[in-house]
Amino acid sequence: MNKDLVIVKLGGSAITYKNKAFAPRKGVIETLAKEIKELLGEVSLVIVHGGGSFGHRVANQYSLDQGLRKSGQLIGVSKVRYRMTELSQMITGEMIKEGIPVFPLHPSSFVISSSCKIRLFFDKPVKAALEKGLVPLTFGDIILDKKKGISILSGDDLACRLAINLKALRLVYGTDVNGVYVNTPSGDKILAKKLRVSELSKVRFCSAGVDVTGGMRHKLKTASDAVKAGIKVLIGNITVPGVLSNMVLEKPDNYTVLIP
Ligand code: IPE
């Protein structure tokens, strides 16, 4: 019997120090690799990671979220690709240490956007890798854009699109906060264990560091598309050991589940 498929996004705020240049959270990445190894006994996984202080910093420095406007930005495009590859390589290395048959795939080679919206999405390599028992690993990236020259593809969008195309059971967004906080009528802020996408206007957003793809607000907007496609979306703090595993298997813990 085929195992259930879960798409996991390892947020940049969890796997890097967002306010420190090119600084991976090595301990967190090691623990996550161990959890992922265990999880593969129960589910199939596609892993997507974010940019954190590797991607966003350089993208911001060269205003790459605005598209390609002057030739001086071109070297910035190369630098973002370099830094994202560097981070992905590091994560690949940690996964190999755990014996995970990871298969890195670069979105710049299989996704093209138009005005920052995904237009061409060649997901066959992801599907073929999964069928062979490999674990696809991909990431938020800088990609070519038909209208703007280039665009930043957020790992959140990529993970959502993969979840829909591959008919995943769950989509897990791992970040460095416990989930989504909402305001109660008395003004307190509490973690929403379950959140209806129709109630998103009530949520309180928190974000830290430089993020050119929009943080929690963007995550929730993106996640709504997956929820509408019948996929359960879970958001939680993967820097806390065990939370990633509990979200992937939908076991009780502190996290937010998005429902229709
Ligand atoms: C951003 O990916 C990738 C680049 C800036 C090139 P994400 O938007 O998914 O990254 P995080 O998770 O917010 O750091």
Side-chain angles (χ1 to χ4, degrees):
M1 206 182 74
N2 279 346
K3 291 179 193 156
D4 287 330
L5 175 66
V6 181
I7 311 295
V8 168
K9 158 86 193 290
L10 308 176
S13 57
I15 57 168
T16 74
Y17 294 101
K18 266 204 148 172
N19 293 317
K20 215 166 138 197
F22 317 123
R25 293 174 81 171
K26 286 220 168 98
V28 171
I29 296 172
E30 276 167 26
T31 306
L32 290 172
K34 288 190 172 64
E35 288 192 40
I36 288 166
K37 170 71 178 167
E38 284 290 306
L39 285 166
L40 287 168
E42 302 199 47
V43 288
S44 290
L45 293 173
V46 173
I47 315 285
V48 179
H49 69 78
S53 61
F54 283 74
H56 288 287
R57 184 170 288 264
V58 187
N60 198 50
Q61 194 183 341
Y62 288 87
S63 306
L64 294 175
D65 53 327
Q66 321 264 307
L68 210 48
R69 290 169 163 189
K70 38 186 195 259
S71 59
Q73 288 174 298
L74 290 172
I75 194 69
V77 176
S78 307
K79 286 183 185 178
V80 173
R81 293 248 54 261
Y82 171 76
R83 288 297 181 183
M84 288 310 301
T85 306
E86 185 183 32
L87 179 58
S88 199
Q89 187 78 346
M90 202 178 297
I91 295 169
T92 301
E94 287 308 323
M95 292 198 173
I96 289 174
K97 263 190 221 161
E98 292 303 321
I100 298 166
V102 60
F103 191 71
L105 289 162
H106 295 212
S108 47
S109 309
F110 69 86
V111 189
I112 288 183
S113 59
S114 180
S115 297
C116 302
K117 298 257 179 312
I118 294 175
R119 277 290 165 268
L120 299 172
F121 190 81
F122 185 60
D123 60 13
K124 285 198 171 72
V126 184
K127 289 179 176 163
L130 265 177
E131 278 161 19
K132 286 165 185 59
L134 291 160
V135 179
L137 172 75
T138 184
F139 47 86
D141 202 357
I142 190 151
I143 60 171
L144 297 162
D145 188 286
K146 286 183 173 184
K147 296 262 164 61
K148 301 184 70 155
I150 51 102
S151 72
I152 308 287
L153 171 67
S154 96
D156 291 351
D157 288 354
L158 177 60
C160 179
R161 180 63 181 257
L162 284 167
I164 294 170
N165 281 25
L166 274 57
K167 298 184 174 46
L169 181 69
R170 294 182 198 110
L171 167 59
V172 170
Y173 284 124
T175 177
D176 65 341
V177 292
N178 293 340
V180 183
Y181 283 85
V182 292
N183 290 310
T184 63
S186 56
D188 296 331
K189 288 158 192 85
I190 52 159
L191 179 70
K193 290 265 181 166
K194 277 205 166 76
L195 188 67
R196 292 199 178 278
V197 288
S198 54
E199 288 175 359
L200 289 184
S201 55
K202 293 183 201 159
V203 304
R204 170 188 155 74
F205 302 101
C206 22
S207 145
V210 181
D211 185 342
V212 289
T213 53
M216 187 62 90
R217 187 182 297 275
H218 180 79
K219 199 181 300 298
L220 291 171
K221 195 168 168 285
T222 306
S224 312
D225 291 343
V227 173
K228 283 175 199 148
I231 298 160
K232 212 168 238 189
V233 179
L234 303 92
I235 304 174
N237 187 349
I238 56 166
T239 68
V240 178
V243 172
L244 175 71
S245 307
N246 287 335
M247 285 199 285
V248 168
L249 302 175
E250 225 187 320
K251 290 185 175 166
D253 209 330
N254 276 332
Y255 56 77
T256 299
V257 182
L258 294 184
I259 51 173

